[in-house]
Amino acid sequence: MATVKINGKEITVEDGTLILDAATSAGFEIPTMCFHARLSKLASCRVCLVEIVGQKKLQPSCVTPVMHGMEVLTESPVVKSARSAMIDLLLANHPLDCPVCDKGGECELQDITFKFGPRKSPFGEEKRRFHEEDYILSPVIIQNANRCIQCKRCVRICAETVGAEVLGSIDRGAGTGETSFVKEYLDCDHCGNCIEVCPVGSLMSRSFRYKSRPWDLKGVDTVCTYCGTGCQLTVQARNGEVLRVISKPDKGINHETLCARGRYGYSFINSHERLVTPMIRKGGTLEPATWDEALKAIKEGITGAIRNGGKIGGIASSRLSNEELYLFQRLMRVVLKTNHIDSGSRWNTGAVKTFTEVMELSRGGVSIYDALNTDTLLVIGSSISDENPVTDYMIRRLSQNKKMNIIIASPRGMKLDSSAALTLRHRPAAEGEIISGISRVLYDKNADKLNDLSGKEPLKSISKENISSLTGTDWGRIESAANFMSSSNSVTIAVGNDVLRGPSRLEFLNVLVGALRLLGKEVKLFPVFDRANQRGAWEMGVHPAMMPGYSATAGNGLGCEGILEASSRGEMDVLYVIGEDIVSDFPDGRFAEEALHRVKFLIVQDMFLTETAKMAGVVLPGASFVEKDGTFTNQEGRVQRLRRFLPPQGDAKADWEIIAAVGAAVDPSFNYGSAAGIFGEIKEAAPMYREIAFESLDGSGALIKETNRKGTDLKSVPSVASQMPAASPDPDYPFVLITGNHLYHSGRLSLRTDILRDILSEAIVEISEEDAKDLKVGKGDKVVVKGERYEATLTVHVNKRSAKGVVFIPENFTDVRVNMFFTKGEGLPRVRVLPLTGKSHGGGIK
Amino acid sequence: MLSEGAVKEINDLTGKYANKRSAVMPALFVVQREYGYVTEEGMREVANILGLRPVQIFEVATFYTMYNKKPVGKYHIQVCTNISCSLLGANHIVDFLSMRLGVKVKETTPDKMFTLSTVECLGSCGTAPMMQINDRYYEDLTKEKIEEILKGLK
Ligand code: SF4
Ligand code: SF4
Ligand code: SF4
Ligand code: FES
Ligand code: FES
């Protein structure tokens, strides 16, 4: 600890604290310009100069640490005049065109000039001008480089945090400007973080241009509902129209950062395609109806089914709030007496159960900062850079200041690879085998210490040759991964939801974790989800085998696949679907569609008339995330507040209100009046939520905690390692098709936002560089991807680092129905790729 | 496109440095030699070979005046106008060259023979005023001397 005097006030701080931070905590304000708390230190603007008693020269407080006994002056006459001179230098070339600048009112240069700057300037020279008209740098950025003060925050955030490295400082001296390569249109992540950190009006948001002065906006701090990272964001609107989304340095785990979808994926809220009234099918077509009519039809449908002892099921999206998901399962289990419920249509119900157990989700939340405070980090089962962009930023950023061995196991290459110590490219769906291979190496090296390891028998039956041939990964790399873990004191294993797409052999994760713990390592498990409330959905009990709080159910429920199978046999009497477009998402689109046709009474609740909604008997209009209250639980297990800020469009209602109304229609005692009230009930049902106070959840939310649960952890331990047949290459269909979210999109909702559509509106196909060479195609070329049942013409993207033989098509687009490539029960589809010269686009059934 | 030899030269350069970014400067000289100046295409090629982003090459190329971002004549005359040379009449040297060649500073003669530039200190203050033509220094300049030099450059 160091005790220092700042402006005469004594304060004791940690050794190494920056003078800037010490002064701030002592209550003094030092202006800064180039400084940014989470970026590398540059110290170029010198606006933060302070006087250290006994030193001749003023020192930049943003890089100078305190020393014990130091005496610092932040308001002495020499500091004041130097500071003002520094600001004057920033202004010397600054156009001072505040009246026409979008930044006016929230400009850091304006603010510090007003507070600390000169009132007159000796600089009368002509100002440097790079260009007359602002120029468009990307689909989201418009630049006025004349206003740039060369702080390089944009360059630093793009390189250090986002990892895109597309901005640079061009030229030198007074002529320096920040821009892209030869000022060309950027092909980047379109995250807008450079705009967010630009202190002046140099990098500006195209979509917000000339739309409003910041003081005319009303906003709400809420949470992003796209992926499981759970970023905090602020939605701002004027006269009820959402004009932009910003991020704030002091809010959330993401601070100032967001990804393209979080920042630009909002305009669906005001979309004219929103459902604004209930609809009832009359004579084959869906026609607008009142709530009373719709609820009456639902009541008749449901009570009829109950009377006849019919089957009832429900599927609710993992993008609904905890309150909605909880209420949904309550309605299903208690009122409709069924366990046939699921959250989403893409996951294997059994794999989900195993996942929740081996990932120890019932033990409560793990903060991402704790998870990343580790010697070795294994990321597996997620194309994390695309699926969870801000999680990727955090890993990149935190690994720069700390020695952390990052191991990435995935079939596709990703941006984060460049931060990794080791990459394991493996065959799709071989995550379990990779983990078993690593466990095997660890076991062989430490057999004497691992006598008590449960699951060691099946481990012993694994052979190196078998694993290599199943995974397609060089055994040496699997050994290196094990060695990194061996030589670490702490290991974090981040597992993404790709392992849920089939019956993966994830039980071996239990063995690996067990082995590492027996070897004395601190092990943390970190789940990575592509849907914002996936964790919440399970914790609320929206799963056939799990009740709220992960307790087991009595009785056999069906998951989504089982529900569809029962439907296809004509056994499903009522199916209530909320926010999930099963027809577009279930991996076998044709089967899903045929099955849903046989459901006797299909109720769909959504914001839009999705492919699934088009088939419904009754359609109910749900609300967007800014139109309702509630909570979300992100992948860490952090509960954050969703805040109602706008009234729902038309007659739409918050989804929890609708669920409550449906319940009350069947059973009048099903009575819920507020999201907060439902949350109170959740605290009882899922004790991990007990300590969370709905009303006082603030910017960083609160982690759920393990409670004294009765009984022991349910643990799946692998039986004898089954010898999964090695993928036999089929010369006719040499590629394996995998799917997931594109960096700019998430689910299907994002496609309804104009800015994200401007960035990318049509599906692409991504292939490895090696395959591109063999096929003699390059970025932008058209190819036909042919499966046994479906084919599509798509534009090629080349992924330099992907494994050969893997083809990736995003799930987010409507022009190509990627789920039509799949055949239920047959795992990942095999396809061939045929180069094409021509321009047609879109998918079609063969 | 860079010749095979140039690509190899750049690839070999990477072996000399612990960090690939360190090879950017010598690689840019290879580009300048190959194309006559640092072209956009050349910068992209360097980025590709070194596994860097094009903007990272662009930053370096624009920072240093030794890289020509525009085509230059067969002879690139760079006159030092920094303090020592200026005190000893560098501006007269520039004016004289400009008059003799019929171009202003930063311009190239229509026959593409000469480009006239001014540069900062070339570390030859002891023999100021001075200039550099392509890779050679010409020192203790006078108008007569310049006439001689220009005659030799045809
Ligand atoms: S939008 Fe994001 S990726 Fe693109 S330049 Fe800005 S910070 Fe970099
Ligand atoms: S564009 Fe903005 S963030 Fe980038 S250097 Fe200029 S002022 Fe700083
Ligand atoms: S999509 Fe995920 S990473 Fe992007 S802003 Fe939303 S929560 Fe954050
Ligand atoms: S803020 Fe300290 S030098 Fe810029
Ligand atoms: S000033 Fe001209 S060489 Fe140094």
Side-chain angles (χ1 to χ4, degrees):
Chain A
M1 299 300 273
T3 300
V4 288
K5 235 190 219 166
I6 299 176
N7 299 339
K9 184 169 171 185
E10 217 169 73
I11 171 169
T12 302
V13 292
E14 294 278 341
D15 287 327
T17 304
L18 296 173
I19 294 178
L20 174 64
D21 293 332
T24 310
S25 52
F28 300 104
E29 187 188 1
I30 299 179
T32 58
M33 217 57 201
C34 66
F35 173 78
H36 194 283
R38 280 164 296 278
L39 297 175
S40 62
K41 308 279 178 275
L42 193 65
S44 63
C45 74
R46 306 274 144 169
V47 158
C48 67
L49 291 174
V50 295
E51 185 175 350
I52 300 171
V53 176
Q55 291 190 17
K56 267 200 188 141
K57 283 190 186 164
L58 302 181
Q59 297 296 334
S61 61
C62 70
V63 285
T64 316
V66 295
M67 289 212 297
H68 187 69
M70 204 182 236
E71 209 178 305
V72 178
L73 302 174
T74 73
E75 295 299 328
S76 66
V78 17
V79 170
K80 281 186 177 166
S81 82
R83 190 156 69 193
S84 157
M86 289 302 133
I87 296 172
D88 204 10
L89 281 173
L90 294 180
L91 296 171
N93 269 317
H94 191 82
L96 289 170
D97 51 355
C98 309
V100 293
C101 176
D102 271 331
K103 197 78 178 179
E106 54 181 5
C107 171
E108 294 177 40
L109 186 59
Q110 245 180 5
D111 294 348
I112 65 161
T113 303
F114 185 73
K115 266 195 171 161
F116 306 98
R119 291 294 173 260
K120 260 199 211 118
S121 174
F123 301 127
E125 291 83 358
E126 203 159 303
K127 300 197 184 220
R128 163 214 71 193
R129 276 190 88 72
F130 293 112
H131 53 83
E132 289 310 312
E133 269 179 44
D134 298 359
Y135 63 94
I136 290 170
L137 205 54
S138 85
V140 301
I141 309 169
I142 181 160
Q143 182 165 27
N144 182 325
N146 300 326
R147 299 183 187 136
C148 173
I149 54 141
Q150 282 76 46
C151 67
K152 287 184 84 166
R153 283 193 199 171
C154 56
V155 177
R156 285 179 285 159
I157 200 158
C158 186
E160 298 167 10
T161 306
V162 180
E165 302 183 310
V166 295
L167 296 176
S169 296
I170 308 308
D171 276 308
R172 65 198 286 182
T176 311
E178 261 62 28
T179 185
S180 60
F181 180 64
V182 299
K183 294 195 177 171
E184 72 183 357
Y185 201 59
L186 281 172
D187 175 12
C188 68
D189 287 19
H190 306 309
C191 60
N193 290 319
C194 49
I195 305 173
E196 191 67 64
V197 297
C198 181
V200 296
S202 175
L203 295 173
M204 292 170 288
S205 166
R206 274 180 78 186
S207 50
F208 185 62
R209 189 156 172 84
Y210 300 149
K211 284 272 166 67
S212 173
R213 281 299 178 198
W215 58 80
D216 286 329
L217 294 169
K218 282 206 179 69
V220 68
D221 294 338
T222 182
V223 43
C224 174
T225 52
Y226 282 116
C227 87
T229 305
C231 297
Q232 284 275 335
L233 44 77
T234 302
V235 182
Q236 297 182 321
R238 189 174 171 178
N239 301 331
E241 189 195 352
V242 177
L243 291 182
R244 69 172 177 180
V245 164
I246 58 166
S247 43
K248 295 179 174 168
D250 58 342
K251 288 271 183 311
I253 54 168
N254 54 307
H255 301 288
E256 55 284 327
T257 64
L258 287 173
C259 76
R261 353 195 246 234
R263 199 179 291 285
Y264 299 114
Y266 57 81
S267 65
F268 69 88
I269 299 170
N270 296 340
S271 163
H272 63 271
E273 289 175 6
R274 283 277 302 271
L275 293 173
V276 288
T277 143
M279 289 195 282
I280 300 180
R281 185 168 301 277
K282 280 182 193 145
T285 50
L286 283 168
E287 300 200 349
T290 64
W291 277 104
D292 284 345
E293 289 161 352
L295 289 169
K296 190 164 159 266
I298 290 172
K299 182 181 172 176
E300 277 164 16
I302 291 179
T303 44
I306 294 178
R307 216 172 19 245
N308 302 332
K311 247 199 184 95
I312 301 180
I315 292 163
S317 156
S318 39
R319 283 226 177 96
L320 294 170
S321 70
N322 287 327
E323 292 70 16
E324 289 156 351
L325 290 158
Y326 171 79
L327 208 59
F328 178 73
Q329 82 64 55
R330 184 103 189 129
L331 166 72
M332 287 292 151
R333 290 206 166 103
V334 178
V335 181
L336 308 182
K337 311 253 181 317
T338 174
N339 267 327
H340 307 318
I341 59 171
D342 210 342
S343 59
S345 47
R346 297 171 303 156
W347 308 150
N348 177 294
T349 315
V352 166
K353 187 87 187 9
T354 312
F355 184 90
T356 56
E357 287 163 13
V358 298
M359 293 300 285
E360 300 175 351
L361 297 188
S362 61
R363 295 216 175 157
V366 176
S367 133
I368 186 165
Y369 289 100
D370 286 342
L372 295 181
N373 185 12
T374 183
D375 298 335
T376 293
L377 168 72
L378 168 66
V379 180
I380 189 164
S382 171
S383 287
I384 202 163
S385 304
D386 289 358
E387 299 267 10
N388 298 63
V390 174
T391 308
D392 157 283
Y393 304 165
M394 292 175 76
I395 298 173
R396 177 173 302 98
R397 182 165 67 74
L398 293 173
S399 67
Q400 279 157 9
N401 309 325
K402 181 184 185 309
K403 173 122 188 52
M404 188 203 302
N405 304 307
I406 301 177
I407 307 169
I408 296 183
S410 93
R412 288 174 66 206
M414 62 184 97
K415 204 173 55 180
L416 196 61
D417 285 344
S418 61
S419 304
L422 176 70
T423 53
L424 304 172
R425 287 292 102 89
H426 62 74
R427 289 222 174 91
E431 288 87 1
E433 283 70 22
I434 290 279
I435 288 172
S436 65
I438 297 175
S439 316
R440 174 71 205 237
V441 177
L442 272 180
Y443 181 77
D444 285 350
K445 297 215 161 139
N446 305 284
D448 51 326
K449 294 181 207 133
L450 296 176
N451 269 326
D452 297 336
L453 181 65
S454 76
K456 71 178 180 187
E457 291 313 318
L459 206 54
K460 284 197 226 156
S461 66
I462 286 171
S463 80
K464 156 176 160 180
E465 291 71 27
N466 193 238
I467 292 294
S468 276
S469 82
L470 287 174
T471 58
T473 309
D474 172 33
W475 184 254
R477 292 194 159 243
I478 294 180
E479 278 182 324
S480 318
N483 292 341
F484 273 123
M485 293 187 186
S486 273
S487 58
S488 303
N489 291 322
S490 51
V491 177
T492 293
I493 304 176
V495 187
N497 47 222
D498 281 350
V499 300
L500 305 176
R501 292 181 189 268
S504 52
R505 300 193 50 75
L506 208 61
E507 298 88 353
F508 276 104
L509 184 58
N510 234 353
V511 183
L512 177 60
V513 172
L516 290 167
R517 287 195 177 135
L518 283 174
L519 295 173
K521 324 257 174 231
E522 190 194 347
V523 183
K524 289 175 213 116
L525 294 162
F526 192 80
V528 181
F529 298 130
D530 72 346
R531 292 285 192 270
N533 207 19
Q534 183 64 70
R535 186 168 181 153
W538 296 335
E539 284 168 0
M540 296 306 116
V542 184
H543 185 277
M546 300 188 300
M547 295 288 284
Y550 298 112
S551 50
T553 53
N556 289 327
L558 299 171
C560 182
E561 186 172 331
I563 291 175
L564 290 179
E565 276 164 358
S567 306
S568 73
R569 292 190 301 265
E571 290 168 13
M572 219 43 180
D573 288 88
V574 179
L575 184 60
Y576 184 10
V577 179
I578 310 184
E580 187 73 19
D581 187 2
I582 301 171
V583 175
S584 306
D585 280 348
F586 184 77
D588 190 338
R590 194 180 331 234
F591 174 76
E593 201 168 335
E594 283 164 12
L596 290 182
H597 267 301
R598 302 215 173 94
V599 172
K600 291 187 191 110
F601 185 46
L602 178 65
I603 309 164
V604 176
Q605 178 174 326
D606 209 303
M607 277 182 281
F608 293 94
L609 197 65
T610 60
E611 293 306 311
T612 307
K614 285 177 191 160
M615 301 176 64
V618 176
V619 176
L620 304 172
S624 76
F625 72 115
V626 288
E627 299 160 353
K628 57 191 187 185
D629 279 311
T631 59
F632 269 54
T633 306
N634 77 350
Q635 59 198 18
E636 303 169 271
R638 187 183 299 277
V639 183
Q640 305 186 92
R641 266 299 296 280
L642 208 62
R643 290 191 170 84
R644 183 180 153 121
F645 161 64
L646 295 172
Q649 300 268 306
D651 277 346
K653 281 188 202 295
D655 294 90
W656 66 263
E657 286 181 62
I658 306 176
I659 301 167
V662 168
V666 182
D667 173 359
S669 72
F670 195 79
N671 189 359
Y672 292 88
S674 72
I678 303 169
F679 194 81
E681 205 173 303
I682 291 173
K683 292 210 245 185
E684 295 304 312
M688 316 151 89
Y689 285 73
R690 194 163 289 162
E691 287 176 27
I692 290 167
F694 183 88
E695 290 304 340
S696 58
L697 280 174
D698 65 356
S700 46
L703 285 177
I704 49 171
K705 289 213 182 79
E706 181 173 26
T707 44
N708 307 324
R709 279 168 307 121
K710 289 170 227 102
T712 49
D713 281 330
L714 281 168
K715 277 286 165 108
S716 338
V717 170
S719 50
V720 179
S722 72
Q723 308 282 304
M724 185 176 121
S728 55
D730 176 345
D732 284 341
Y733 295 96
F735 294 91
V736 179
L737 170 68
I738 54 175
T739 60
N741 291 290
H742 192 280
L743 173 63
Y744 309 135
H745 287 283
S746 178
R748 289 291 175 89
L749 196 56
S750 62
L751 206 62
R752 306 199 185 253
T753 66
D754 47 5
I755 308 173
L756 294 179
R757 284 185 69 94
D758 280 352
I759 298 174
L760 186 70
S761 63
E762 290 178 339
I764 50 102
V765 57
E766 183 194 274
I767 56 176
S768 72
E769 191 165 49
E770 230 181 312
D771 290 324
K773 268 199 195 123
D774 290 351
L775 292 164
K776 300 200 176 56
V777 294
K779 185 176 175 180
D781 289 346
K782 298 277 182 198
V783 294
V784 179
V785 179
K786 254 192 174 66
E788 281 183 37
R789 301 167 69 192
Y790 187 74
E791 66 175 60
T793 306
L794 294 151
T795 311
V796 171
H797 272 216
V798 178
N799 187 324
K800 280 195 176 171
R801 302 189 183 106
S802 280
K804 194 174 155 52
V806 175
V807 158
F808 167 79
I809 302 178
E811 300 167 337
N812 319 101
F813 299 90
T814 42
D815 56 337
V816 171
R817 294 186 58 189
V818 68
N819 65 339
M820 298 293 266
F821 281 104
F822 288 73
T823 307
K824 188 179 73 72
E826 290 188 8
L828 296 174
R830 303 201 132 262
V831 295
R832 65 178 116 156
V833 179
L834 308 166
L836 186 85
T837 39
K839 287 219 160 152
S840 68
H841 189 91
I845 294 166
K846 271 212 308 188
Chain B
M1 269 224 316
L2 287 173
S3 66
E4 242 170 72
V7 173
K8 185 174 176 309
E9 205 175 329
I10 297 174
N11 268 319
D12 290 348
L13 282 169
T14 57
K16 289 194 190 165
Y17 305 98
N19 183 336
K20 280 187 181 175
R21 276 186 95 158
S22 310
V24 171
M25 295 194 60
L28 282 173
F29 279 117
V30 175
V31 170
Q32 179 147 310
R33 198 190 60 217
E34 287 270 312
Y35 290 97
Y37 67 104
V38 176
T39 58
E40 197 184 307
E41 186 189 358
M43 288 190 276
R44 282 189 207 279
E45 288 175 282
V46 170
N48 216 354
I49 300 171
L50 299 182
L52 296 169
R53 299 294 300 228
V55 75
Q56 297 172 319
I57 314 297
F58 193 44
E59 286 182 306
V60 177
T62 55
F63 187 86
Y64 293 101
T65 51
M66 292 83 101
Y67 300 118
N68 304 315
K69 271 72 70 180
K70 279 199 216 123
V72 288
K74 185 171 172 202
Y75 298 105
H76 186 194
I77 305 177
Q78 297 168 282
V79 186
C80 169
T81 53
N82 211 301
I83 187 105
S84 309
C85 291
S86 284
L87 288 173
L88 289 163
N91 56 332
H92 300 302
I93 305 283
V94 176
D95 289 348
F96 180 68
L97 276 164
S98 174
M99 187 267 290
R100 275 291 280 99
L101 300 173
V103 292
K104 292 203 224 58
V105 175
K106 289 192 187 161
E107 286 179 359
T108 301
T109 55
D111 61 359
K112 306 259 184 322
M113 286 295 282
F114 298 98
T115 300
L116 180 61
S117 305
T118 58
V119 294
E120 302 305 332
C121 180
L122 289 169
S124 190
C125 312
T127 54
M130 61 80 66
M131 65 182 177
Q132 178 181 349
I133 303 180
N134 295 352
D135 290 336
R136 247 195 89 179
Y137 275 17
Y138 295 87
E139 297 148 302
D140 294 315
L141 295 176
T142 59
K143 287 180 186 167
E144 294 69 38
K145 233 174 167 173
I146 292 174
E147 282 294 356
E148 279 307 296
I149 297 164
L150 290 181
K151 248 181 240 156
L153 301 177
K154 285 294 166 192

